[in-house]
Amino acid sequence: MTIRVARVPYLSHEPFYFDMANRGLVLYDFVPGDIAPAIESGNLDAGPLPLGDSFRLEERMEPVAGFCLSAYRQTGSSFLFSKEPIDQLDGVPIGAPEEPSTSKDLLRVLLSLKYGIQPGEFTGVNDSPDAILLMDDQGLRRRRGIRGYPHKYDLGIEWNQWTNLPFVFARWMRRNDMEEREAALLEDTLYVGLEEGVDGLYHLNEPRENLLMLAKDIVEYIQGVRYFIGLSEQKSIQLFREYWEQVNA
């Protein structure tokens, strides 16, 4: 049986896929918010699920070891840009990409529970909102700021200052009916390929013009990313789940 894996085409996710095609895994490009529906419909077997989706689908899926995508402190790519300070955004609509994301869930938690204000509705980025949330490659391209938005908040820093913990944006999950042999192959491919994938980004010589990043910028960014769940990440997942359930009750 072919193992169908969601490939997220963002810089932060690149190391996951270093050795997958060579090992016979079939990759399909998905933005994070579309992975869970594809798994539920039977079109995918595994992928890096946004954290909220991993909670929602935990009866149908199992973690792939402890592989994840987390920010040690600052994300460098998940930002809230606003015209007013964050504690003055009560009910303010926030422009953001349309698809669901962990960054949206995290921002709702931060606004509701850290700052004690009512999160506004998410709207289109092109609607000239008073606040904008960008993440992943879009966030990287705008990491130096947006004209007209003097306040910039890295969501990882906001979480870390509040909890003293890293933040886990996604964790690798697989269908729980996957054969043991296939599950072992997926896990081994991540173990073997991930280190070389990260090392490859450390040794890039060419810039990424689409991200407005030099090779040294990429190294600095990847140094803040963690790909395996340790004790601090596990504590962070448990705490965020409590907050996530509270906000979504």
Side-chain angles (χ1 to χ4, degrees):
M1 178 179 174
T2 300
I3 303 175
R4 302 163 300 174
V5 176
R7 175 185 176 271
V8 177
Y10 298 149
L11 176 62
S12 58
H13 290 69
E14 283 185 19
F16 289 131
Y17 306 104
F18 179 83
D19 200 37
M20 287 193 175
N22 293 333
R23 301 287 292 273
L25 281 67
V26 180
L27 306 179
Y28 297 90
D29 282 359
F30 279 87
V31 297
D34 291 342
I35 296 175
I39 289 175
E40 290 181 285
S41 64
N43 293 320
L44 279 177
D45 300 309
L49 259 67
L51 202 54
D53 287 335
S54 76
F55 300 151
R56 185 171 58 84
L57 297 180
E58 63 184 358
E59 294 184 359
R60 300 178 57 180
M61 306 195 72
E62 295 183 11
V64 182
F67 295 103
C68 73
L69 180 73
S70 71
Y72 177 70
R73 187 171 182 267
Q74 68 180 23
T75 68
S77 60
S78 186
F79 297 107
L80 175 70
F81 304 94
S82 60
K83 296 180 179 180
E84 302 294 337
I86 190 171
D87 59 1
Q88 297 180 26
L89 297 181
D90 188 59
V92 172
I94 298 171
E98 291 184 3
E99 67 267 13
S101 71
T102 304
S103 291
K104 286 183 176 179
D105 290 339
L106 175 56
L107 182 57
R108 290 190 189 100
V109 166
L110 291 170
L111 293 176
S112 298
L113 304 181
K114 181 179 180 180
Y115 289 99
I117 61 178
Q118 178 64 40
E121 296 294 325
F122 286 110
T123 185
V125 176
N126 296 324
D127 295 337
S128 299
D130 289 331
I132 296 175
L133 173 67
L134 295 178
M135 68 289 291
D136 302 310
D137 284 6
Q138 290 188 48
L140 282 173
R141 283 192 292 270
R142 295 299 189 98
R143 65 191 181 279
R144 294 188 176 89
I146 299 177
R147 182 176 298 177
Y149 293 82
H151 303 279
K152 183 181 78 171
Y153 302 91
D154 185 305
L155 298 193
I157 292 176
E158 288 292 316
W159 173 261
N160 182 265
Q161 289 175 342
W162 188 30
T163 66
N164 199 33
L165 292 169
F167 187 79
V168 179
F169 284 88
R171 63 184 309 178
W172 272 82
M173 305 286 288
R174 64 168 179 83
R175 295 172 62 90
N176 57 15
D177 59 357
M178 182 182 287
E179 294 183 7
E180 290 187 12
R181 177 177 58 82
E182 293 166 344
L185 173 60
L186 174 61
E187 184 174 324
D188 184 66
T189 302
L190 283 165
Y191 271 121
V192 173
L194 188 57
E195 183 176 350
E196 291 189 50
V198 171
D199 187 65
L201 290 179
Y202 281 159
H203 291 89
L204 284 177
N205 293 316
E206 299 296 326
R208 294 287 179 94
E209 295 183 0
N210 63 315
L211 300 176
L212 305 177
M213 299 180 77
L214 300 174
K216 65 180 182 62
D217 299 322
I218 294 172
V219 170
E220 181 179 354
Y221 172 61
I222 292 298
Q223 285 176 337
V225 180
R226 298 293 183 270
Y227 292 101
F228 204 82
I229 295 172
L231 181 59
S232 295
E233 286 79 13
Q234 188 60 52
K235 288 181 179 178
S236 181
I237 291 172
Q238 293 170 351
L239 182 60
F240 180 72
R241 179 166 189 161
E242 293 175 13
Y243 292 156
W244 179 81
E245 290 175 345
Q246 184 177 340
V247 168
N248 289 285

